[in-house]
Amino acid sequence: PLAGPGPVLLAAAAQSLYLAAAGVLLVLARGRLLLAALAPLIAVAAVLPWWEPGTWVRAGLPLLALAAALAGTGDALRGALATPAATAGGTRPRPLWSLPYGLFGLAAGVLVLLEGRHEPYALIVLTVSMGPAEWLLYRYRGLSVAALRATATPAGFLLRSAAVLAGCLGAYLLPLLPAARLTGAAPAPLLLLAATLWTALLLQAFGTAWPPAVICLAAATVAGLAPVLRPPSGPAALSLCCAAAVLALVTYALLLLGRPARHL
């Protein structure tokens, strides 16, 4: 089991690296590669109610998924950087363009670390949930295009887009509730943190990087400073910060992705 600051720090670092790799792959439209990297982890997670995999499998599979995601990211970045300038709109990718993704990874790592300090087993639940999260990000695109074809007015599409967003986010969070109870983790902080990360990744998948990075950085900063400020602190502060972040991210996602032009 996870105990003490060392394993929690390692888990938070691994989670940060994974989120950074996932963000790059999603932005570069390599979601299937990410799903392939997570496939073994998803398969084992599906049989956990009937099979105890043991410590080596529990530790090795997440590391294998992380290594596969990082390898896929390296390959995708090499392909993107090798793209001729004429086929990339006249410009090559600049290192500064990756800054918001790095800042988001830092913010996500801090939020995960704060959650892991109080609920170590919540990190396992959050890591396993990344597989379904990526699939739902992929499904969001298809459902949004279907909603666009089924509506004739911008207002009608906005309503359908809100329903698609609510459905995908709900489908991601709903299985986390019994999973949190099985591990003894408090459901509220875990669900709010998961909703924050998923919505931020959704915006990144549509090429919007700075708003989710700024929102998550603000949440991580306030939650991290909570112990030296006045109450609430600890899990309550993290829940409040993530709740505010989710509200801001969902509102921005509706304003941005509720426009038909974003899906053409």
Side-chain angles (χ1 to χ4, degrees):
L2 295 173
V8 173
L9 284 172
L10 290 175
Q15 190 76 36
S16 300
L17 286 173
Y18 169 79
L19 287 170
V24 171
L25 289 174
L26 289 171
V27 169
L28 295 178
R30 303 292 292 274
R32 292 184 179 181
L33 181 60
L34 185 59
L35 182 61
L38 292 171
L41 189 61
I42 297 172
V44 171
V47 299
L48 280 179
W50 305 278
W51 177 57
E52 173 55 48
T55 304
W56 285 106
V57 176
R58 286 179 178 272
L61 276 179
L63 291 176
L64 177 63
L66 175 62
L70 291 174
T73 301
D75 181 68
L77 284 175
R78 280 194 297 270
L81 292 173
T83 302
T87 63
T91 59
R92 288 184 180 274
R94 299 176 182 176
L96 188 60
W97 292 353
S98 63
L99 178 60
Y101 300 101
L103 292 176
F104 167 71
L106 174 63
V110 172
L111 291 171
V112 170
L113 174 61
L114 293 174
E115 171 69 4
R117 288 176 59 189
H118 303 285
E119 301 287 355
Y121 286 103
L123 300 184
I124 299 175
V125 175
L126 192 61
T127 300
V128 173
S129 76
M130 288 293 107
E134 307 300 346
W135 181 79
L136 286 166
L137 289 173
Y138 176 76
R139 285 295 300 147
Y140 177 88
R141 287 182 177 272
L143 293 173
S144 295
V145 172
L148 182 60
R149 293 172 178 171
T151 53
T153 65
F157 177 71
L158 178 60
L159 291 175
R160 287 181 179 268
S161 181
V164 170
L165 178 59
C168 289
L169 185 57
Y172 171 52
L173 296 179
L174 188 60
L176 295 184
L177 184 58
R181 295 192 178 279
L182 284 174
T183 60
L190 175 62
L191 293 178
L192 290 169
L193 174 57
T196 299
L197 298 179
W198 189 88
T199 315
L201 288 172
L202 175 66
L203 288 169
Q204 288 185 348
F206 279 85
T208 301
W210 275 111
V214 171
I215 291 171
C216 291
L217 270 176
T221 301
V222 175
L225 291 176
V228 299
L229 300 175
R230 294 188 177 186
S233 61
L238 180 62
S239 297
L240 288 173
C241 291
C242 287
V246 169
L247 180 60
L249 289 166
V250 168
T251 301
Y252 189 84
L254 286 176
L255 293 175
L256 182 70
L257 304 180
R259 302 172 184 172
R262 298 293 301 186
H263 305 275
L264 296 177

